[in-house]
Amino acid sequence: MKVGAPSVATLFLTASAALANPNIPAPPQSEPILITNAVIHTVSGATIENGRMLFDGGRIQAIAGPSESIATPARVIDVGGKHVYPGMISAQSVLGLVEIDAVRATIDTTEPGLVNPNVRADVAVNPDSELIPVTRANGVLAALTVPQAGSGSVIVGQSAVIALDGWTIEDMTIKAPAGLHVVWPQMRFADDLPDERKKELEKTRDERLRAIEESFEAARAYRLLPAADRPFEVDLRWESMQPVLEGNMPVFAHVQDLLQIRHALHIADEYGLRMILVGAADAWRVADLLAEKRIPVIVGAVQRLPLRAWEDYSTPFQNAAKLQAAGVLFAIATGGDSNSAPNERNLPYEAAKAVAHGLPHDEALKAVTLYPAQILGVADRLGSLESGKDATFIVTDGDPLEITTHVERAFILGRELDLTTRQTVLYEKYRERLRQRGH
């Protein structure tokens, strides 16, 4: 071998480093930290000018204004008048389950079969996904990762709330399972369809609606078997649905139009379910009913086309504002499918579009922080800046709903994150190319 030439091992390690995700999870917080000189947006309460926030062991210990006393630890971070917000939460995503939508081997979102209530999304999450650092670089620090419907699926499995940092899924999991996901079949069809085709679609719809009802009936019957005091065969599908029937776990009903929403509400009443509507483009049409029944809504993708060709273009933009006016608890999310995964970082701009069409700004901010935390059952840890909650927050140079705002620092459980992403690495690489060429 020529003297000075790199060894094969060196070349291998260099190539591996170039291909690896550059983000290394930080160790647990080891000392108290005090954020000072900050505009602290608690979200659940008042905004504090020139505020200070103390956190230790991954939890917020105290928040104080300029005139209030607070312990000063050895490590102090002066943010120079920047803004501190709770980390945003994507309430519908496939983060960790999809990498490259065009490469089938990188997609693990679906399970074959019509009814799969025992499928769990958390066990399939890839902590090394390149999409995770891209998402959190824009302030989204937690997400609900959701199994998706395959061909003909109706009950698709159980989701998990994950933090967007960690070596393993055990490190990342905040709550699992978070709920059971049921996808309603298409229920309205174009009037100009040929009769034969329309009959086929109606038959498929009826079969899938029947599968939903029969699954809940089977799970309810299975619940009675232990009381019969005789041997029975364990069925993991119906076992996994027992927390739903007991009211300990919600059902996320993936619906869009009015017919689907009404059928989902019928199922909720029939089986006594805690239900959350997801997508729900037509939710505004029954906002008063949803408020009366206290059914939360995760609005999927504000920036989308109307369901019907004759509807005003702004119909989906106004959905959240109409739900808020009616007193419905709601969150704003993205489309939540594999096409949306690379763009989960755009979550705050979905909320911003709703602001431009009538939703109060404070409500839009809550719709991507506090409200999803409440709907997903993690408001004791996430969604606002309060003593005792997780030190999961971002430091920005402006309003996070504005596209010109930069997230300058981010913390999950008191650990400061590396905000390097694949995009920033490529940006710096090609900036250097321009420098070398004198530009």
Side-chain angles (χ1 to χ4, degrees), residues 35-281:
I35 298 288
T36 66
N37 193 15
V39 181
I40 300 177
H41 301 262
T42 63
V43 174
S44 58
T47 297
I48 303 170
E49 300 282 345
N50 195 17
R52 290 163 293 160
M53 184 169 72
L54 176 67
F55 55 99
D56 188 19
R59 304 277 179 175
I60 299 171
Q61 303 299 315
I63 298 175
S67 62
E68 301 170 274
S69 62
I70 193 169
T72 304
R75 187 176 175 200
V76 176
I77 300 175
D78 186 332
V79 297
K82 298 295 173 65
H83 300 261
V84 176
Y85 290 90
M88 288 177 276
I89 304 167
S90 175
Q92 181 187 206
S93 81
V94 288
L95 283 171
L97 306 179
V98 169
E99 196 64 22
I100 303 169
D101 193 35
V103 180
R104 187 174 177 182
T106 71
I107 301 174
D108 192 6
T109 59
T110 60
E111 193 74 15
L114 192 64
V115 176
N116 296 295
N118 51 310
V119 167
R120 293 184 55 158
D122 52 309
V123 300
V125 168
N126 172 22
D128 292 321
S129 169
E130 290 280 5
L131 302 183
I132 288 175
V134 169
T135 301
R136 70 189 185 207
N138 204 31
V140 181
L141 303 186
L144 183 74
T145 190
V146 180
Q148 301 293 291
S151 177
S153 302
V154 286
I155 301 183
V156 299
Q158 301 174 14
S159 57
V161 182
I162 60 172
L164 299 189
D165 181 58
W167 290 103
T168 67
I169 187 55
E170 289 77 14
D171 295 338
M172 299 169 71
T173 300
I174 297 171
K175 182 180 182 181
L180 178 69
H181 291 256
V182 182
V183 178
W184 258 256
Q186 182 180 353
M187 295 180 69
R188 71 185 170 87
F189 310 106
D191 293 332
D192 57 355
L193 279 176
D195 288 344
E196 291 254 343
R197 178 59 180 155
K198 196 169 185 179
K199 285 178 182 176
E200 285 176 17
L201 291 172
E202 288 172 346
K203 180 183 177 183
T204 300
R205 174 201 62 198
D206 293 344
E207 287 172 352
R208 292 177 185 175
L209 291 177
R210 190 159 53 248
I212 292 172
E213 296 201 40
E214 288 176 352
S215 296
F216 280 103
E217 281 293 340
R220 187 156 64 178
Y222 183 86
R223 190 179 180 187
L224 302 175
L225 291 179
D229 196 27
R230 58 184 181 185
F232 64 93
E233 187 175 344
V234 172
D235 191 316
L236 293 179
R237 294 175 303 165
W238 314 138
E239 285 276 358
S240 67
M241 290 179 68
Q242 297 313 302
V244 168
L245 296 175
E246 293 161 4
N248 297 323
M249 188 165 73
V251 170
F252 290 80
H254 292 254
V255 293
Q256 290 294 351
D257 67 38
L258 191 58
L259 291 174
Q260 292 173 318
I261 291 171
R262 290 197 180 280
H263 192 274
L265 296 181
H266 161 71
I267 293 292
D269 288 341
E270 179 71 20
Y271 297 98
L273 308 176
R274 288 170 49 211
M275 184 163 278
I276 298 163
L277 301 186
V278 183

